[in-house]
């Protein structure tokens, strides 16, 4: 029988009278954060609960506790400090008194006799210890059951009774604002993405067989960027395809562009690529002449490698003319940024000759003036008129700064006439394929789902550089925000490496992705970074993410970096080591109902949708 007063049952649960607990103490933590170990909450709370055998099954990490705090003033308005359970364990008074120096047979006798005690509910001998940390929110309750949440830490009253927020409060806390924005309402929850936009369920209360769905604001998820971090086998690709499927179904016009270096998303999103309601395109590295060649170019999960239904699914996609290939252009017109970068490189190579550096400064001034006159920005392509101006100015610059005719710089000035070849009419034999420019037109058209499935790192990185530059520049010129476009970089270590550790195209690709993440949100361009290892990623790019999904990361350095970058308590991240595939830690500054509160969730299985699709075939 519940020991809660009726007015408290609206907010809390005691599992039918089984949970009776008090706040034992509040401990100020003194540990300093480090990149290797992560950051800690400034306070840890120790809760003592009366022992009940069933309670060990019912409570779980991630549950939210509430304790009245010192900011409560009025009798009809109470404030509770909210805390998240980190871990819990039972403690036996007899076992606690054992010491290593005591007589061994005595120790063994006490241990053996304690086994039977655990099966009872002897509250005089046993207790349950709970470690929790504040989530920096207060629950404020008032008359007529009006309640709300206020940001900030309030010191809880030590010795006060501790409550557990019930299922309805958790559902309201995490989902109400999101559901209002989504315009979705349903009494029942479903894993079917066409019926329910949920991502999965919240793990707490699973032992009570109560499924609490978890929703995210997809517009905010896209526009403010998100990351998915998990070790091999953690379900990273499954989670990403799960998110993309619901995003495309439950947003009217959001577009998704996947840079798929692992060649697996044509399978993972097979049902969407085959669905006529969602215009889509798969861009392969080489031309597929038939469905069998298309099937052979795609990576399948082990469970489906020998499934004869998969080729039927690929045939359905191929028959709708949704499969094409990438074609590299013979000559790509460089941007002003690329031209200026080449001039900067020449300056660095000629640092010992000041007259040569001054000559190149003249080139930079000429370029800047021309861009200003025409209203060009760095990401715009150079034009014929600019090349003509440069060619005409070259002899004067060479003469004025006395550039030696046998120097490399003299040769550079002499060959500027060759830049006119960019504007000669040269046809690229596309053979039905798509150039980078054609892919951009596809993105700006009606197509909503595009998978650029190219396994060659150099080729796909160049596509990333060209597309992100041109699309961001286009949005800036038009100051266009919608439709939102999400760029997905799976295996992100290939695209967003730490610029300090790489050079050439790897560095340029990382810098372009970072730039899109920094500037894109103003123009409706979002990004998703998914990776197994974040240790060597571009930290400036990571800091642009507002939502993150974290599964098992065995390396302490990876967890420490996430803890510091996203301000998640390291002890919460330690819990992810116990996760099974499909379990995730979700935290968001903007896409969930409560900002920056870590939530343990169980994601819906994306492969179930593939199985349903194949069954229909």
């Amino acid at each position: 029988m519940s020991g809660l007063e009726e007015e408290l049952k609206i907010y809390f649960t005691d599992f039918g009278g089984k949970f009776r607990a008090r706040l034992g103490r509040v401990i100020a933590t003194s540990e300093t954060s480090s990149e290797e170990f992560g950051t800690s909450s400034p306070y840890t709370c120790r809760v003592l609960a009366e022992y009940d055998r069933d309670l060990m099954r019912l409570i779980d990490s991630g549950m939210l506790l509430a304790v009245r705090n010192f900011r409560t003033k009025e009798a009809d308005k109470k404030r509770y400090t909210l805390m998240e359970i980190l871990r819990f364990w039972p403690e036996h008074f007899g076992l606690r008194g054992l010491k290593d120096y005591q007589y061994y047979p005595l120790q063994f006798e006490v241990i053996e006799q304690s086994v039977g005690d655990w099966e009872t509910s002897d509250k005089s001998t046993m207790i349950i210890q709970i470690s929790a940390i504040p989530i920096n929110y207060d629950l404020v309750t008032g008359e007529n059951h009006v309640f709300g949440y206020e940001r900030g830490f309030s010191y809880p009253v030590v010795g006060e009774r501790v409550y557990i927020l019930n299922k309805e409060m958790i559902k309201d806390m995490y989902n109400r604002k999101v559901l209002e924005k989504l315009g979705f309402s349903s009494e029942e929850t479903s894993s079917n993405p066409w019926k329910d936009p949920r991502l999965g369920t919240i793990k707490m209360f699973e032992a009570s067989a109560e499924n609490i769905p978890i929703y995210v604001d997809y517009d905010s998820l896209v526009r403010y960027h998100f990351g998915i971090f998990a070790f091999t086998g953690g379900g990273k690709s499954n989670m990403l395809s799960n998110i993309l499927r619901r995003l495309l179904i439950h947003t009217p016009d959001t577009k998704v562009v996947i840079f798929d270096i692992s060649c697996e998303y044509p399978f993972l999103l097979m049902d969407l690529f085959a669905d006529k309601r969602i215009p889509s395109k798969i861009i392969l590295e080489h031309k597929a002449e038939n469905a069998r060649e298309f099937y052979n170019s795609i990576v399948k999960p082990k469970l489906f490698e020998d499934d004869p239904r998969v080729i039927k699914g690929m045939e359905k996609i191929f028959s709708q003319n949704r499969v094409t290939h990438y074609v590299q252009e013979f000559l790509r017109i460089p941007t002003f940024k690329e031209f200026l970068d080449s001039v900067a490189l020449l300056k660095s190579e000629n640092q010992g000759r000041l007259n040569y550096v001054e000559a190149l400064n003249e080139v930079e001034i000429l370029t800047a003036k021309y861009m200003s006159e025409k209203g060009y920005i760095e990401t715009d392509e150079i034009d014929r008129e600019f090349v003509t101006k440069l060619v005409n100015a070259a002899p004067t610059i060479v003469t004025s700064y006395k550039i030696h005719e046998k120097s490399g710089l003299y040769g550079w000035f002499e060959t500027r006439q060759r830049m006119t070849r960019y504007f000669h009419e040269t046809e690229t034999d596309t053979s039905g394929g798509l150039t980078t420019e054609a892919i951009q037109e596809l993105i700006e058209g009606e197509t909503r789902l595009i998978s650029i499935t190219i396994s060659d790192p150099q080729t796909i990185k160049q596509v990333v550089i060209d597309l992100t530059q041109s699309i961001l520049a286009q949005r800036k010129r038009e100051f266009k925000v919608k439709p939102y476009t999400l760029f997905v970089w799976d295996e992100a270590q290939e695209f967003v490496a730490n610029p300090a550790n790489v050079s050439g195209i790897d560095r340029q690709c990382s810098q372009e992705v970072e730039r899109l993440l920094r500037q894109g949100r103003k123009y409706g361009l979002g990004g998703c970074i998914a990776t197994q290892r974040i240790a060597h990623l571009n930290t400036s790019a990571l800091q642009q993410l507002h939502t993150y999904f974290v599964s098992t990361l065995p390396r302490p350095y990876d967890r420490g970096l996430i803890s510091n970058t996203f301000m998640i308590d390291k002890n919460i991240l330690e819990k992810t080591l116990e996760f099974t595939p499909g379990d995730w830690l979700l935290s968001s500054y903007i896409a969930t109902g409560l900002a920056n509160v870590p939530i343990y969730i169980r994601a819906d299985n994306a492969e179930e949708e593939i199985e349903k699709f194949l069954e229909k075939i």
Side-chain angles (χ1 to χ4, degrees), residues 362-563:
E362 288 289 333
V363 174
E364 291 179 332
I365 292 169
L366 182 149
T367 307
K369 283 182 177 180
Y370 183 79
M371 291 173 64
S372 178
E373 290 170 4
K374 297 293 185 179
Y376 286 143
I377 59 176
E378 283 191 339
T379 52
D380 288 327
E381 294 176 346
I382 63 173
D383 58 18
R384 187 187 292 271
E385 185 180 347
F386 168 73
V387 173
T388 301
K389 280 183 174 292
L390 180 63
V391 170
N392 292 337
T396 304
I397 296 174
V398 168
T399 303
S400 300
Y401 290 94
K402 298 183 174 7
I403 297 175
H404 197 278
E405 62 182 13
K406 291 186 178 181
S407 68
L409 187 59
Y410 182 90
W412 183 84
F413 276 106
E414 284 292 297
T415 56
R416 288 314 85 200
Q417 181 67 37
R418 293 191 61 204
M419 291 176 68
T420 58
R421 75 191 190 280
Y422 293 124
F423 311 104
H424 296 161
E425 292 186 2
T426 56
E427 292 185 1
T428 299
D429 181 16
T430 61
S431 302
L434 298 177
T435 61
T436 303
E437 185 177 350
I439 296 172
Q440 182 176 347
E441 291 174 1
L442 205 65
I443 296 170
E444 293 170 351
E446 298 299 318
T447 308
R448 292 191 61 205
L449 173 60
I450 299 172
S451 178
I452 303 173
T453 304
I454 298 174
S455 60
D456 179 60
Q458 300 298 310
T459 303
I460 197 169
K461 285 172 189 175
Q462 190 61 59
V463 175
V464 170
I465 293 166
D466 295 342
L467 272 181
T468 53
Q469 281 183 351
S470 57
I471 290 177
L472 183 58
Q474 182 78 7
R475 288 274 174 122
K476 284 181 176 181
R477 279 194 295 268
E478 300 175 356
F479 202 81
K480 186 178 178 182
V481 176
K482 287 194 173 181
Y484 293 153
T485 302
L486 174 68
F487 294 92
V488 178
W489 293 280
D490 194 13
E491 305 297 339
Q493 66 276 4
E494 296 285 345
F495 304 103
V496 206
N498 187 340
N501 299 333
V502 293
S503 60
I505 194 171
D506 296 320
R507 183 174 184 177
Q508 188 181 0
C509 184
S510 178
Q511 290 172 336
E512 290 303 326
V513 173
E514 179 194 336
R515 191 161 68 94
L516 185 134
L517 293 175
R518 280 191 287 105
Q519 301 176 16
R521 68 174 64 104
K522 293 186 291 185
Y523 306 102
L525 302 176
C528 167
I529 291 177
T531 185
Q532 303 169 10
R533 182 92 198 269
I534 72 167
H536 303 296
L537 261 58
N538 185 333
T539 53
S540 296
L542 289 176
Q543 287 167 353
Q544 307 305 316
L545 309 180
H546 280 58
T547 304
Y548 22 91
F549 300 83
V550 184
S551 189
T552 303
L553 291 171
R555 297 179 178 90
Y557 182 83
D558 288 343
R559 296 195 302 275
L561 186 58
I562 288 180
S563 176

Side-chain angles (χ1 to χ4, degrees), residues 164-234:
I164 296 177
L165 264 64
N166 62 31
K167 173 187 173 182
E168 293 305 318
M169 286 292 288
I170 295 297
K171 186 176 180 180
D172 177 269
M173 172 188 286
Y174 292 134
N175 294 325
R176 178 169 53 85
K177 291 180 181 178
V178 176
L179 289 173
E180 289 173 357
K181 193 166 182 181
L182 288 173
F184 178 79
S185 177
S186 177
E187 293 299 322
E188 296 183 2
T189 184
S190 169
S191 62
N192 186 334
W194 292 94
K195 294 181 179 179
D196 195 336
R198 77 177 200 185
L199 287 184
T201 56
I202 300 173
K203 283 178 62 64
M204 65 181 81
F205 297 107
E206 281 184 334
S208 305
E210 297 183 11
N211 290 327
I212 308 172
I214 182 68
Y215 300 90
V216 295
D217 176 359
Y218 289 112
D219 282 350
S220 297
L221 187 73
V222 170
R223 192 169 180 182
Y224 292 91
H225 321 310
F226 64 99
I228 299 178
F229 310 114
F231 194 59
T232 304

Side-chain angles (χ1 to χ4, degrees), residues 554-580:
R555 297 179 178 90
Y557 182 83
D558 288 343
R559 296 195 302 275
L561 186 58
I562 288 180
S563 176
N564 286 319
T565 304
F566 305 124
M567 296 305 294
I568 302 177
D569 186 274
K570 63 181 183 181
N571 294 303
I572 288 179
L573 284 169
E574 292 295 320
K575 178 68 178 178
T576 62
L577 294 173
E578 305 170 19
F579 281 179
T580 57

Side-chain angles (χ1 to χ4, degrees), residues 85-252:
I85 295 179
L86 290 177
R87 59 181 62 86
F88 60 94
W89 63 95
E91 198 167 90
H92 192 287
F93 183 78
L95 295 177
R96 189 175 183 181
L98 289 178
K99 304 297 180 184
D100 289 342
Y101 58 79
Q102 290 178 325
Y103 186 48
Y104 291 145
L106 175 62
Q107 290 187 51
F108 191 82
E109 182 71 19
V110 173
I111 292 170
E112 187 177 30
Q113 290 183 7
S114 69
V115 175
D117 294 340
W118 297 122
E119 303 302 318
T120 69
S121 292
D122 186 356
K123 295 175 175 53
S124 63
T125 306
M126 295 166 292
I127 201 169
I128 296 175
Q129 297 263 18
I130 300 173
S131 177
I133 61 169
I135 64 170
N136 296 321
Y137 275 94
D138 278 2
L139 168 65
V140 183
T141 64
E143 291 183 333
N144 301 320
H145 306 141
V146 175
F147 65 91
Y149 305 99
E150 290 188 12
R151 190 77 183 262
F153 172 72
S154 300
Y155 201 93
V157 178
V158 177
E160 264 287 3
R161 186 171 177 182
V162 179
Y163 304 97
I164 296 177
L165 264 64
N166 62 31
K167 173 187 173 182
E168 293 305 318
M169 286 292 288
I170 295 297
K171 186 176 180 180
D172 177 269
M173 172 188 286
Y174 292 134
N175 294 325
R176 178 169 53 85
K177 291 180 181 178
V178 176
L179 289 173
E180 289 173 357
K181 193 166 182 181
L182 288 173
F184 178 79
S185 177
S186 177
E187 293 299 322
E188 296 183 2
T189 184
S190 169
S191 62
N192 186 334
W194 292 94
K195 294 181 179 179
D196 195 336
R198 77 177 200 185
L199 287 184
T201 56
I202 300 173
K203 283 178 62 64
M204 65 181 81
F205 297 107
E206 281 184 334
S208 305
E210 297 183 11
N211 290 327
I212 308 172
I214 182 68
Y215 300 90
V216 295
D217 176 359
Y218 289 112
D219 282 350
S220 297
L221 187 73
V222 170
R223 192 169 180 182
Y224 292 91
H225 321 310
F226 64 99
I228 299 178
F229 310 114
F231 194 59
T232 304
K236 172 175 56 69
S237 300
N238 192 299
M239 182 62 176
L240 180 52
S241 60
N242 186 25
I243 293 171
L244 298 181
R245 182 174 284 105
R246 284 156 175 79
L247 182 107
L248 288 162
I249 293 172
H250 294 283
T251 58

